[in-house]
Amino acid sequence: EAGVVQSPRYKIIEKKQPVAFWCNPISGHNTLYWYLQNLGQGPELLIRYENEEAVDDSQLPKDRFSAERLKGVDSTLKIQPAELGDSAVYLCASSPRGTDSYEQYFGPGTRLTVT
Amino acid sequence: SQQGEEDPQALSIQEGENATMNCSYKTSINNLQWYRQNSGRGLVHLILIRSNEREKHSGRLRVTLDTSKKSSSLLITASRAADTASYFCATDGIGANSKLTFGKGITLSVRP
């Protein structure tokens, strides 16, 4: 079974530029998560989707961050414009059910560096 | 905000020894999960323990949960060099909008 796929693995951009991350969850997993992980910290939830609906985006900085999950499968997370403080690892995860009472399967992450 | 706090922050042991990692949390939970993260990789789920469970085993892993003390421990027996990684506890809160909240993690180094 293929795991969660993310691309790109690494991205270096200048501040004020836009950037997008892509995630393909495990087949059949209805729930998709985007997390931000700063160095030396645990992941922090940005947004959770159940199918194509964003059910929890309370931690997503909506002035510059946006996300979509068209057709309830792949998802894209965008930052526009990027700031120096956005440098972090962006993790995508999926799970088979609509609650957090199940394990989550994580992708390898996208390491973003904003210069 | 991060609810789970792991202890110690870093642990270095010899191969073959046991490693014990602790996690404390603040609010009531539905379940608690432990994850491992190797350098530069995503997180891998290790074990989940529900709030009505006290102990659970999976291979060389043993996790305990004390809801009265709001704490959990993860024991890795007979450690191997390949166990070198960061370990995170994550708590799943109660309610429709609950989410997994991760701690800062414990860095485990197993010396060959």
Side-chain angles (χ1 to χ4, degrees), chain A residues 13-18 81-84 114-115:
Chain A
I13 61 171
E14 294 183 346
K15 62 181 179 182
K16 301 185 181 180
Q17 295 300 306
E83 297 179 351
L84 294 176
V114 182
T115 64

PDB file of all heavy atoms in Angstrom, chain A residues 13-18 81-84 114-115:
ATOM      1  N   ILE A  13      12.448  29.612  -1.191  1.00  0.00           N
ATOM      2  CA  ILE A  13      11.887  30.757  -1.893  1.00  0.00           C
ATOM      3  C   ILE A  13      12.295  32.031  -1.171  1.00  0.00           C
ATOM      4  O   ILE A  13      12.703  31.999  -0.001  1.00  0.00           O
ATOM      5  CB  ILE A  13      10.346  30.696  -1.981  1.00  0.00           C
ATOM      6  CG1 ILE A  13       9.725  30.694  -0.579  1.00  0.00           C
ATOM      7  CG2 ILE A  13       9.897  29.494  -2.790  1.00  0.00           C
ATOM      8  CD1 ILE A  13       8.231  30.852  -0.576  1.00  0.00           C
ATOM      9  N   GLU A  14      12.164  33.147  -1.864  1.00  0.00           N
ATOM     10  CA  GLU A  14      12.400  34.436  -1.236  1.00  0.00           C
ATOM     11  C   GLU A  14      11.100  34.914  -0.589  1.00  0.00           C
ATOM     12  O   GLU A  14       9.998  34.572  -1.039  1.00  0.00           O
ATOM     13  CB  GLU A  14      12.886  35.444  -2.266  1.00  0.00           C
ATOM     14  CG  GLU A  14      14.256  35.085  -2.829  1.00  0.00           C
ATOM     15  CD  GLU A  14      14.771  36.140  -3.797  1.00  0.00           C
ATOM     16  OE1 GLU A  14      13.959  36.987  -4.229  1.00  0.00           O
ATOM     17  OE2 GLU A  14      15.960  36.107  -4.130  1.00  0.00           O
ATOM     18  N   LYS A  15      11.244  35.704   0.450  1.00  0.00           N
ATOM     19  CA  LYS A  15      10.051  36.223   1.129  1.00  0.00           C
ATOM     20  C   LYS A  15       9.206  37.023   0.136  1.00  0.00           C
ATOM     21  O   LYS A  15       9.705  37.568  -0.843  1.00  0.00           O
ATOM     22  CB  LYS A  15      10.441  37.088   2.324  1.00  0.00           C
ATOM     23  CG  LYS A  15      11.226  38.317   2.002  1.00  0.00           C
ATOM     24  CD  LYS A  15      11.566  39.083   3.275  1.00  0.00           C
ATOM     25  CE  LYS A  15      12.385  40.333   2.937  1.00  0.00           C
ATOM     26  NZ  LYS A  15      12.760  41.077   4.166  1.00  0.00           N
ATOM     27  N   LYS A  16       7.931  37.003   0.391  1.00  0.00           N
ATOM     28  CA  LYS A  16       6.901  37.649  -0.421  1.00  0.00           C
ATOM     29  C   LYS A  16       6.526  36.849  -1.662  1.00  0.00           C
ATOM     30  O   LYS A  16       5.584  37.237  -2.368  1.00  0.00           O
ATOM     31  CB  LYS A  16       7.286  39.086  -0.827  1.00  0.00           C
ATOM     32  CG  LYS A  16       7.536  40.006   0.359  1.00  0.00           C
ATOM     33  CD  LYS A  16       7.792  41.429  -0.082  1.00  0.00           C
ATOM     34  CE  LYS A  16       8.066  42.331   1.114  1.00  0.00           C
ATOM     35  NZ  LYS A  16       8.330  43.730   0.718  1.00  0.00           N
ATOM     36  N   GLN A  17       7.234  35.774  -1.931  1.00  0.00           N
ATOM     37  CA  GLN A  17       6.865  34.915  -3.057  1.00  0.00           C
ATOM     38  C   GLN A  17       5.776  33.930  -2.641  1.00  0.00           C
ATOM     39  O   GLN A  17       5.644  33.601  -1.456  1.00  0.00           O
ATOM     40  CB  GLN A  17       8.090  34.147  -3.568  1.00  0.00           C
ATOM     41  CG  GLN A  17       9.155  35.036  -4.168  1.00  0.00           C
ATOM     42  CD  GLN A  17       8.614  35.828  -5.348  1.00  0.00           C
ATOM     43  OE1 GLN A  17       8.060  35.279  -6.295  1.00  0.00           O
ATOM     44  NE2 GLN A  17       8.770  37.151  -5.286  1.00  0.00           N
ATOM     45  N   PRO A  18       4.995  33.429  -3.588  1.00  0.00           N
ATOM     46  CA  PRO A  18       4.007  32.398  -3.267  1.00  0.00           C
ATOM     47  C   PRO A  18       4.644  31.017  -3.306  1.00  0.00           C
ATOM     48  O   PRO A  18       5.682  30.818  -3.952  1.00  0.00           O
ATOM     49  CB  PRO A  18       2.978  32.547  -4.389  1.00  0.00           C
ATOM     50  CG  PRO A  18       3.795  33.026  -5.552  1.00  0.00           C
ATOM     51  CD  PRO A  18       4.889  33.887  -4.969  1.00  0.00           C
ATOM     52  N   PRO A  81       1.560  36.012   0.544  1.00  0.00           N
ATOM     53  CA  PRO A  81       2.986  35.845   0.294  1.00  0.00           C
ATOM     54  C   PRO A  81       3.686  35.176   1.481  1.00  0.00           C
ATOM     55  O   PRO A  81       3.213  35.269   2.612  1.00  0.00           O
ATOM     56  CB  PRO A  81       3.455  37.296   0.176  1.00  0.00           C
ATOM     57  CG  PRO A  81       2.578  38.039   1.144  1.00  0.00           C
ATOM     58  CD  PRO A  81       1.235  37.336   1.089  1.00  0.00           C
ATOM     59  N   ALA A  82       4.792  34.506   1.208  1.00  0.00           N
ATOM     60  CA  ALA A  82       5.525  33.838   2.281  1.00  0.00           C
ATOM     61  C   ALA A  82       6.328  34.858   3.086  1.00  0.00           C
ATOM     62  O   ALA A  82       6.801  35.870   2.567  1.00  0.00           O
ATOM     63  CB  ALA A  82       6.462  32.778   1.700  1.00  0.00           C
ATOM     64  N   GLU A  83       6.455  34.544   4.383  1.00  0.00           N
ATOM     65  CA  GLU A  83       7.257  35.367   5.283  1.00  0.00           C
ATOM     66  C   GLU A  83       8.386  34.519   5.857  1.00  0.00           C
ATOM     67  O   GLU A  83       8.332  33.290   5.818  1.00  0.00           O
ATOM     68  CB  GLU A  83       6.389  35.925   6.413  1.00  0.00           C
ATOM     69  CG  GLU A  83       5.273  36.845   5.947  1.00  0.00           C
ATOM     70  CD  GLU A  83       4.416  37.348   7.089  1.00  0.00           C
ATOM     71  OE1 GLU A  83       4.578  36.855   8.236  1.00  0.00           O
ATOM     72  OE2 GLU A  83       3.575  38.240   6.834  1.00  0.00           O
ATOM     73  N   LEU A  84       9.396  35.187   6.386  1.00  0.00           N
ATOM     74  CA  LEU A  84      10.548  34.467   6.943  1.00  0.00           C
ATOM     75  C   LEU A  84      10.119  33.446   7.993  1.00  0.00           C
ATOM     76  O   LEU A  84      10.642  32.328   8.056  1.00  0.00           O
ATOM     77  CB  LEU A  84      11.548  35.451   7.541  1.00  0.00           C
ATOM     78  CG  LEU A  84      12.245  36.399   6.561  1.00  0.00           C
ATOM     79  CD1 LEU A  84      13.132  37.382   7.319  1.00  0.00           C
ATOM     80  CD2 LEU A  84      13.068  35.629   5.537  1.00  0.00           C
ATOM     81  N   VAL A 114      12.392  30.049   3.722  1.00  0.00           N
ATOM     82  CA  VAL A 114      12.088  31.369   3.173  1.00  0.00           C
ATOM     83  C   VAL A 114      13.270  32.286   3.479  1.00  0.00           C
ATOM     84  O   VAL A 114      13.662  32.443   4.645  1.00  0.00           O
ATOM     85  CB  VAL A 114      10.793  31.951   3.776  1.00  0.00           C
ATOM     86  CG1 VAL A 114      10.477  33.305   3.140  1.00  0.00           C
ATOM     87  CG2 VAL A 114       9.635  30.983   3.571  1.00  0.00           C
ATOM     88  N   THR A 115      13.854  32.849   2.428  1.00  0.00           N
ATOM     89  CA  THR A 115      15.058  33.690   2.615  1.00  0.00           C
ATOM     90  C   THR A 115      14.746  35.164   2.393  1.00  0.00           C
ATOM     91  O   THR A 115      13.687  35.502   1.823  1.00  0.00           O
ATOM     92  CB  THR A 115      16.161  33.266   1.650  1.00  0.00           C
ATOM     93  OG1 THR A 115      15.714  33.493   0.311  1.00  0.00           O
ATOM     94  CG2 THR A 115      16.506  31.803   1.817  1.00  0.00           C
TER      95      THR A 115
END
